[in-house]
Amino acid sequence: MKDLGGGLLMTGGKASYGVGGYHRSAVESVLPVTMEMREEQRRFGLAMAIALDRSGSMAMSVGDTTKMQLANRGAATAVEMLSPIDAVSVIAVDSAAHIVVPMQPVNDSKSISSKVRTIESMGGGIYVGAALHAAAEELAKSKQQNRHIVLFADAADSEEPGDYRTFVPELVKAGVTISVIGLGSPADSDAKLLEEIAKLGAGRCHFVADPADLPRVFARETIQVARSAMIE
């Protein structure tokens, strides 16, 4: 293109660029801008607790990888977009919640994301109630003003939501928001539950039919929740 005098014109709206999930995509590599969230553009940090479904369905192959590995890659992407003013915890969930990364400042995002990428599917279903309570407990250890839970779950295999109808509104009153990334479609058996959790949690519900899109969706959610701390 340089030799022949060609060029690229890129336009976009509020759902494009970073929010559109262009981070580390082929599009970003040719643009003269970065999709990263710069620390100097933010008023305050974000504490994020990511609860990942590691149930048996996550062991299913997707091409040359698995659903679990793609989910791990998505969570790692979210971690890598954060900075030292932020804090993060990552929890693997089946019939119980397992703390993989305890709440800590994101001083070494590469080390944290490497640990996240080692999560393996261990069978059983995802107990949604256990995931929410464990995430809330981790966020209680943080000092950031902005606190957010990202729940990743299979839209056709989410179990034991517990007291979410009372617990989630209590979290919102305490300043904690919740978004859900559901693997599947709005027509799946547990999609309504996931949508309701996101609505009660004053967050967003993203359904992802293609597991390969998970890193992009995790990046988009991280940018969306951090936008409230941006300096316009």
Side-chain angles (χ1 to χ4, degrees):
M1 292 179 70
K2 291 181 180 179
D3 295 336
L4 299 176
L8 172 67
L9 172 65
M10 186 75 184
T11 64
K14 292 183 178 180
S16 302
Y17 300 101
V19 178
Y22 297 178
H23 179 62
R24 293 191 176 178
S25 67
V27 173
E28 182 185 17
S29 66
V30 299
L31 294 179
V33 295
T34 177
M35 306 300 160
E36 295 178 354
M37 298 186 297
R38 296 192 176 183
E39 188 172 319
E40 64 268 22
Q41 295 176 321
R42 300 169 62 199
R43 294 192 299 269
F44 46 82
L46 166 68
M48 180 181 286
I50 304 172
L52 291 179
D53 180 353
R54 73 166 191 183
S55 62
S57 61
M58 292 298 110
M60 185 177 295
S61 296
V62 181
D64 59 353
T65 186
T66 66
K67 289 182 178 180
M68 189 76 255
Q69 289 170 326
L70 289 168
N72 292 349
R73 196 179 303 167
T77 298
V79 170
E80 291 165 1
M81 297 188 74
L82 301 175
S83 66
I85 67 171
D86 304 310
V88 71
S89 174
V90 180
I91 305 155
V93 187
D94 41 42
S95 57
H98 310 273
I99 308 300
V100 177
V101 177
M103 184 61 66
Q104 60 187 272
V106 188
N107 293 322
D108 188 349
S109 62
K110 289 185 178 179
S111 175
I112 296 173
S113 62
S114 293
K115 183 176 270 189
V116 171
R117 291 174 190 270
T118 66
I119 298 173
E120 297 181 359
S121 171
M122 292 294 184
I126 174 175
Y127 281 24
V128 172
L132 294 176
H133 279 271
E137 289 173 7
E138 287 299 303
L139 284 175
K141 304 172 186 176
S142 66
K143 298 179 180 179
Q144 280 75 8
Q145 179 177 339
N146 209 11
R147 294 176 293 162
H148 189 65
I149 294 172
V150 176
L151 171 66
F152 166 72
D154 191 327
D157 190 27
S158 297
E159 306 175 60
E160 301 294 335
D163 59 348
Y164 75 97
R165 284 196 174 102
T166 55
F167 183 61
V168 172
E170 288 173 0
L171 288 178
V172 173
K173 288 181 181 178
V176 176
T177 53
I178 302 172
S179 287
V180 177
I181 299 175
L183 185 57
S185 76
D188 286 334
S189 57
D190 298 314
K192 295 298 183 185
L193 167 64
L194 300 182
E195 287 177 329
E196 186 178 5
I197 289 172
K199 183 177 181 180
L200 290 173
R204 292 156 292 278
C205 186
H206 313 271
F207 287 106
V208 183
D210 184 353
D213 286 337
L214 286 173
R216 178 181 60 81
V217 176
F218 270 93
R220 183 173 66 188
E221 173 60 26
T222 304
I223 290 176
Q224 283 182 302
V225 72
R227 286 179 76 173
S228 61
M230 293 286 186
I231 299 172
E232 296 290 346

